[in-house]
Amino acid sequence: MQAIAPEPIELHGAEAGLTPRRMVGIGLVVGLITIYGLAMIGGTMKAAQGNLVHLAPQTFYALLTLHGAGMISVVVLLTAVAHWYFLRNLLKLRVEVLLFSVVATVWGLLAAGAAVLGGGFGPGWTFLYPLPFIGTTWPAWSTGLFFIGVLFVGIGFAIFLLDILAGVIREYGGILQGLAFDTFFPKLRRPGKEVAPPTVIAATMVALDGLLTVAAGTVLVVALLARWASPTFPIDPLWIKNLTFFFGHTIANLTIYLSAGVIYAVLPAYTGRPWNTNKIYTLSWATSLLFVPWAWPHHLYMDFVQAPWLQLFGEASTYIATIPSAVVTIFGALLLVYRSNMRWRIGSVFFMAGLLGWLVGGIAAMLDATIPFNDVLHNTLWVPAHFHTYLLGGVFLFVIGFASYFVGEKAPPRAIVKVWEWLFFIGLVGFLLMFYAGGIDGVPRREATPPTPGPQLAAIATGFVVILLLGMTALLIEIWMRARRHAITGEGEGL
Amino acid sequence: MIAGKQLIILVLDIALSAIVIVAFAWVVASTRRPTAQSAVQSGGYRLRRSWGWFYGVLLAGAFTATIWSIPYAWAQPAQGSSDPLVVHVVAHQFSFTMPQRLPADRLIKFVVTSSDVNHGFGIYDPQGRLLGQVQAMPDYSNVFYFTFRQPGTYTIRCMELCGVGHSDMFQKLAIYPTQTGSSAASLPGE
Ligand code: HEM
Ligand SMILES: [Cu+2]
Ligand SMILES: [Cu+2]
């Protein structure tokens, strides 16, 4: 073989300008790198709780705030980008709008990061009034800067959602059609148009509830900014607590519904089966649309002054909001996979594991959302236990699965990948079990120095975090190397 | 160690999660003998219908069962009639202003508020088990009925992030037996 001069390599998709594919790739890289850093912070917090490293309490609470706010924002960003990737084949969406949203989110994160790392802002990611203002250990500028950062993240998300809503109306003629109500009222359907696929139904629901959430979040943050500027600005602690959890619960919850849109698009590729939908899907997503925004009162069960009907309605809504997931989406996914010719790749493994995490976390969430159980679970480690199960063990797995799908995985993975997957999942499960153990033992969450058995459990959990991070690093490198290879061979998404 | 409500929760959580995990494992294993979608779809839809009904009834049952045992005063009218001992609790950054000794076997009406930020008021028994809690919120008073069943040294712990000293915000509460009647009675193990 003779040596040949290297030829200029024609990169796949390297046309001039910002292609949708490249934009999604940028979003994924930015998001995953940020998650990586925030996960290290998470591990550091565990190590501090386990007395393996020393952190001053104000440092611990600053890191806790950054980890929580950062993770939620990044996971919203990543699931939104993944969902967008499929939506742009179904709706006319503008890549510039996505770019704007990503940039706004990144600016918001940078501002919040500066407020936390530079100023030490640390009232937790829910920044419950009046904690940002009373007995603080951080300068006032960091309070204001953090809220401005949150506003940026909210603006980025709102623009993204508005573009989707506009796309749905342009393509299907209206919001009702986006929710597939034309399965019940065929007159609504545009001539020559098919009923909206589930990816679009999910997008319409997320857009509506998401805009409601961003509106609430804006009111919340503007009120806090007013209080920041003028200490006499009147704020009612109970009202703002409701607003805070309406915003915080719903935004975190919506990442699951963004993920559902991705699952509807991806599982058919791995199973080689179409995801058939019918009227049940319309009803199911309408139920989510109506009840997801009513679940927040379960965060205020221990505020006994709260109006009785809200407490009961909160419990009922939380229960009802699980029906679409349990009976339609997750059941539908299992039915699609059942006896299919499933191609097992990193993507499909992570999507299935994520669905399981969603369910298992959901079960723990429902127990917590049951009023007579809540008085021994509220604000214990049971809370981070369940939400890490469906955010880290659910939504984040969907993100990794999507990244792998996006890069393209026609060939089965190398044998060694099994090892990385085992490392990742062993670390994940061990880490989560320690959270649950702490919760059932009544160890409160958000403790810089938790009471026993908190430190012992945290020390063990730190070991599992290390294993998890090792597996995660190897898997992300694997996916990255595959992306480099495929950039040369020109292999695209999917299988 | 793990007892009472916590035990019920743990058993329910493990049992329900186990069912889900087995179902997933079964579906994953089924992909080793693939078949056409048309061969499984209608059976799946029938199963979905039964599962939907079952799940709906389960939720309705759970909801009905739980509303009879909620801790709010308005839901427990019987408590109001039995002449409770009224105890005021004010939470601050980072301590509670409240009595340090209280009687066992007496219905206590805690009226809990805060002088600054949101705090929590969690009651841990002498073995360290969390028995119940309520939030301490500025400008509002939460009324929380509670009866200490056994004498001993309890711990009151803040359950809401309230600032840099949150982890240090706990204090002892001595519960003395009512038979001895007087608050000067000595405590077991003291
Ligand atoms: C390896 C990965 C991760 C580790 C080691 C980790 C660790 C932690 C720890 C130790 C806490 C504090 C719990 C407490 O004592 O209250 C925490 C809180 C939290 N984590 Fe994670 N976490 C990880 C991933 C994630 C992910 C992927 C998300 C979301 C998508 C997330 C969202 C949150 C939130 C919202 C909080 C609450 C913050 C607050 O209380 O203000 N975490 N995490
Ligand atoms: Cu406190
Ligand atoms: Cu506290």
Side-chain angles (χ1 to χ4, degrees):
Chain A
M1 226 188 169
Q2 67 185 91
I4 37 172
E7 278 181 71
I9 294 163
E10 183 85 49
L11 284 185
H12 176 72
E15 314 87 69
L18 187 67
T19 62
R21 209 179 138 77
R22 190 178 292 167
M23 183 61 233
V24 170
I26 294 172
L28 275 177
V29 170
V30 169
L32 285 171
I33 290 178
T34 316
I35 285 208
Y36 209 82
L38 294 171
M40 306 279 249
I41 290 183
T44 311
M45 289 191 292
K46 270 286 174 213
Q49 288 175 330
N51 295 323
L52 302 173
V53 299
H54 177 77
L55 287 183
Q58 54 270 42
T59 316
F60 178 89
Y61 289 121
L63 291 181
L64 178 73
T65 305
L66 184 59
H67 172 86
M71 280 292 192
I72 297 289
S73 314
V74 175
V75 163
V76 169
L77 175 90
L78 282 166
T79 49
V81 164
H83 197 164
W84 185 92
Y85 185 66
F86 298 106
L87 277 175
R88 59 141 195 162
N89 297 327
L90 305 163
L91 310 171
K92 284 185 203 71
L93 300 177
R94 279 156 292 202
V95 69
E96 296 76 20
V97 176
L98 184 63
L99 176 66
F100 179 89
S101 297
V102 172
V103 170
T105 307
V106 169
W107 274 106
L109 276 172
L110 289 175
V116 170
L117 297 175
F121 183 73
W125 89 273
T126 46
F127 44 83
L128 184 59
Y129 174 84
L131 188 55
F133 307 107
I134 296 185
T136 55
T137 49
W138 54 85
W141 65 261
S142 73
T143 309
L145 186 59
F146 187 90
F147 292 147
I148 291 168
V150 175
L151 271 185
F152 268 79
V153 174
I155 290 170
F157 193 39
I159 300 287
F160 168 85
L161 297 174
L162 282 171
D163 196 42
I164 288 182
L165 217 48
V168 167
I169 294 171
R170 264 198 308 272
E171 197 66 31
Y172 290 92
I175 289 168
L176 283 179
Q177 289 87 333
L179 293 166
F181 268 99
D182 44 351
T183 49
F184 286 97
F185 310 104
K187 276 211 196 93
L188 285 174
R189 184 160 324 157
R190 272 207 174 154
K193 200 75 200 149
E194 299 269 304
V195 69
T199 301
V200 170
I201 308 179
T204 313
M205 175 271 182
V206 171
L208 293 172
D209 280 349
L211 286 169
L212 189 66
T213 310
V214 174
T218 309
V219 173
L220 169 69
V221 173
V222 167
L224 291 172
L225 277 170
R227 166 67 174 75
W228 175 65
S230 133
T232 52
F233 184 79
I235 290 184
D236 181 281
L238 183 57
W239 270 87
I240 200 151
K241 202 170 190 174
N242 277 291
L243 194 57
T244 300
F245 286 108
F246 175 82
F247 165 71
H249 175 84
T250 318
I251 194 87
N253 209 186
L254 282 178
T255 61
I256 280 277
Y257 296 89
L258 283 164
S259 307
V262 178
I263 294 162
Y264 287 139
V266 162
L267 277 189
Y270 288 110
T271 54
R273 292 174 169 179
W275 194 313
N276 301 324
T277 63
N278 49 29
K279 287 180 179 170
I280 303 284
Y281 279 77
T282 309
L283 283 181
S284 153
W285 280 90
T287 307
S288 300
L289 175 74
L290 292 180
F291 286 94
V292 165
W294 281 104
W296 98 87
H298 65 224
H299 287 269
L300 282 94
Y301 287 158
M302 294 299 110
D303 292 284
F304 290 15
V305 285
Q306 174 92 312
W309 71 271
L310 266 178
Q311 307 287 32
L312 295 181
F313 196 62
E315 181 175 299
S317 303
T318 309
Y319 283 5
I320 294 171
T322 66
I323 296 176
S325 312
V327 179
V328 180
T329 297
I330 300 181
F331 186 91
L334 290 178
L335 180 56
L336 194 75
V337 172
Y338 179 67
R339 298 197 64 186
S340 73
N341 194 3
M342 180 85 148
R343 267 149 312 165
W344 292 105
R345 303 286 187 271
I346 296 181
S348 41
V349 167
F350 273 70
F351 273 103
M352 288 305 282
L355 284 167
L356 182 59
W358 175 3
L359 260 180
V360 172
I363 291 168
M366 284 182 72
L367 291 169
D368 191 16
T370 300
I371 300 173
F373 291 156
N374 186 255
D375 64 353
V376 297
L377 296 178
H378 185 74
N379 278 352
T380 67
L381 288 179
W382 191 271
V383 179
H386 89 261
F387 72 66
H388 280 92
T389 311
Y390 65 65
L391 289 176
L392 173 62
V395 177
F396 181 53
L397 302 195
F398 299 143
V399 170
I400 296 186
F402 172 74
S404 192
Y405 170 90
F406 174 78
V407 162
E409 38 188 11
K410 289 197 173 64
R414 304 187 294 151
I416 186 84
V417 165
K418 274 272 156 299
V419 178
W420 308 147
E421 285 172 351
W422 275 108
L423 278 180
F424 184 91
F425 288 115
I426 289 173
L428 176 69
V429 171
F431 168 68
L432 293 176
L433 284 178
M434 293 307 114
F435 259 146
Y436 283 106
I440 211 75
D441 276 324
V443 179
R445 68 184 287 201
R446 294 174 161 172
E447 296 278 2
T449 49
T452 42
Q456 291 81 348
L457 294 171
I460 303 173
T462 310
F464 283 115
V465 173
V466 172
I467 300 175
L468 186 163
L469 287 177
L470 279 178
M472 176 170 144
T473 311
L475 282 166
L476 291 180
I477 291 178
E478 183 76 25
I479 294 174
W480 175 255
M481 287 186 345
R482 183 144 40 86
R484 304 298 309 161
R485 255 194 332 273
H486 290 181
I488 296 167
T489 62
E491 182 182 328
E493 66 161 70
L495 308 132
Chain B
M1 251 196 51
I2 296 170
K5 266 190 207 176
Q6 278 91 342
L7 188 60
I8 301 175
I9 293 165
L10 193 62
V11 169
L12 279 175
D13 192 43
I14 291 177
L16 295 173
S17 302
I19 294 173
V20 164
I21 291 169
V22 169
F24 264 72
W26 180 65
V27 168
V28 166
S30 79
T31 61
R32 279 201 227 112
R33 20 176 213 109
T35 181
Q37 186 174 21
S38 54
V40 293
Q41 182 115 323
S42 56
Y45 284 165
R46 274 198 305 280
L47 183 62
R48 179 173 73 187
R49 175 169 307 194
S50 324
W51 161 233
W53 279 111
F54 174 78
Y55 188 62
V57 170
L58 191 79
L59 288 183
F63 183 76
T64 324
T66 58
I67 54 174
W68 301 110
S69 51
I70 49 187
Y72 310 131
W74 51 263
Q76 316 231 333
Q79 294 192 328
S81 60
S82 52
D83 180 31
L85 179 64
V86 179
V87 173
H88 287 272
V89 178
V90 184
H92 325 273
Q93 285 172 324
F94 298 98
S95 64
F96 299 96
T97 302
M98 62 175 289
Q100 283 168 5
R101 306 170 57 79
L102 288 171
D105 288 323
R106 173 92 198 263
L107 181 65
I108 294 177
K109 178 183 180 183
F110 286 109
V111 181
V112 184
T113 188
S114 163
S115 68
D116 39 46
V117 301
N118 284 278
H119 300 268
F121 175 81
I123 301 176
Y124 289 77
D125 75 6
Q127 288 75 43
R129 189 157 69 88
L130 178 59
L131 299 180
Q133 62 175 304
V134 67
Q135 289 266 309
M137 203 197 295
D139 299 357
Y140 287 88
S141 289
N142 284 316
V143 172
F144 175 39
Y145 286 96
F146 193 83
T147 307
F148 294 90
R149 295 281 170 213
Q150 51 163 296
T153 307
Y154 286 65
T155 305
I156 302 297
R157 182 177 289 282
C158 179
M159 304 290 295
E160 182 69 58
L161 174 57
C162 55
V164 69
H166 168 57
S167 282
D168 304 322
M169 188 165 165
F170 59 91
Q171 62 197 49
K172 298 285 170 215
L173 174 65
I175 300 300
Y176 55 84
T178 8
Q179 299 90 297
T180 53
S182 115
S183 61
S186 70
L187 279 165
E190 263 197 359

